[in-house]
Amino acid sequence: EAGVAQSPRYKIIEKRQSVAFWCNPISGHATLYWYQQILGQGPKLLIQFQNNGVVDDSQLPKDRFSAERLKGVDSTLKIQPAKLEDSAVYLCASSELASLRTQYFGPGTRLLVL
Amino acid sequence: EDQVTQSPEALRLQEGESSSLNCSYTVSGLRGLFWYRQDPGKGPEFLFTLYSAGEEKEKERLKATLTKKESFLHITAPKPEDSATYLCAVLWGSYIPTFGRGTSLIVHP
């Protein structure tokens, strides 16, 4: 079974530029999560989708971050404009259902904002 | 105030020296508690899910236990390949996951 795929793996941008990350979850997984993990900290949930609907986006900085999950499969997370403090690893995870199901994580995208 | 607190932040052990990692939580309406292992440069890898107080799960040298307000990850006779960051996450309320900051474990040969 293929795991969660993410691209790109690494990205370096200047502050105020925009960037987009892509995630392809495990086939058949209805729930998709985007996390931000700053060095030395645990993952922080940014947004959770159930199929193509948003379950929770309370910690998503909506003035600069946006995410979509078209057709309930792939998802894209965008940052525009980026700030220095956005430097982090962006992790995508998926699970069969939100309730009590194990999350499977992708390798992450490492973003450095200069 | 953190809802999920892991301790210690870092732990160094000699190979074969058993120890425990702690995860305490203050959320109400716990739906499940998860332990993950994260190696440098990789995403977290699932280890265990615990649902109710008194539950225990084991896998090789690892054993996870759960009480009403905390969970322990016991590592018996660790090996260098057990070196990693161990993350605890709780699922609560509307099934929103919240992670702790992790415990960085180094096992010296």
Side-chain angles (χ1 to χ4, degrees):
Chain A
E1 178 182 80
V4 176
Q6 290 188 246
S7 68
R9 291 297 312 278
Y10 305 92
K11 192 74 178 179
I12 300 174
I13 61 173
E14 301 274 336
K15 61 182 179 184
R16 291 187 289 275
Q17 286 186 323
S18 62
V19 64
F21 312 127
W22 173 82
C23 173
N24 181 238
I26 292 173
S27 178
H29 280 193
T31 307
L32 186 147
Y33 311 80
W34 281 104
Y35 290 90
Q36 179 192 61
Q37 186 173 25
I38 293 172
L39 187 65
Q41 298 184 20
K44 182 182 86 170
L45 180 70
L46 293 175
I47 189 167
Q48 178 179 339
F49 292 96
Q50 180 84 8
N51 295 309
N52 59 350
V54 176
V55 173
D56 184 85
D57 63 357
S58 56
Q59 298 191 96
L60 186 74
K62 298 179 184 66
D63 57 334
R64 299 185 300 106
F65 285 64
S66 64
E68 60 181 8
R69 189 182 184 196
L70 298 176
K71 300 181 181 179
V73 182
D74 292 8
S75 179
T76 302
L77 177 69
K78 296 180 180 177
I79 307 175
Q80 183 178 11
K83 292 185 176 181
L84 298 178
E85 58 261 36
D86 298 332
S87 295
V89 175
Y90 291 84
L91 294 163
C92 178
S94 70
S95 65
E96 291 178 324
L97 286 171
S99 56
L100 303 179
R101 289 295 187 267
T102 299
Q103 295 180 50
Y104 295 91
F105 284 82
T109 296
R110 276 157 186 73
L111 173 67
L112 179 61
V113 182
L114 301 176
Chain B
E1 179 185 326
D2 286 350
Q3 295 170 312
V4 181
T5 303
Q6 291 190 244
S7 61
E9 288 185 12
L11 182 62
R12 292 177 180 270
L13 299 173
Q14 288 296 127
E15 184 172 2
E17 179 187 3
S18 301
S19 187
S20 296
L21 313 182
N22 177 263
C23 171
S24 63
Y25 55 91
T26 58
V27 302
S28 56
L30 182 75
R31 309 247 186 227
L33 185 142
F34 299 79
W35 282 99
Y36 289 85
R37 169 191 171 128
Q38 187 172 27
D39 292 296
K42 296 187 177 181
E45 176 187 344
F46 170 75
L47 293 174
F48 304 108
T49 308
L50 302 167
Y51 296 111
S52 57
E55 190 174 358
E56 300 182 351
K57 296 267 179 81
E58 282 189 71
K59 180 181 178 181
E60 296 180 354
R61 295 177 292 283
L62 300 176
K63 179 180 176 180
T65 61
L66 180 65
T67 69
K68 286 188 176 180
K69 286 297 178 187
E70 59 187 350
S71 175
F72 292 93
L73 184 65
H74 307 278
I75 304 177
T76 302
K79 298 182 178 182
E81 52 261 43
D82 295 322
S83 297
T85 294
Y86 290 85
L87 294 166
C88 165
V90 299
L91 204 61
W92 61 286
S94 302
Y95 297 98
I96 305 302
T98 302
F99 278 79
R101 292 172 177 254
T103 293
S104 174
L105 173 66
I106 297 176
V107 182
H108 296 286

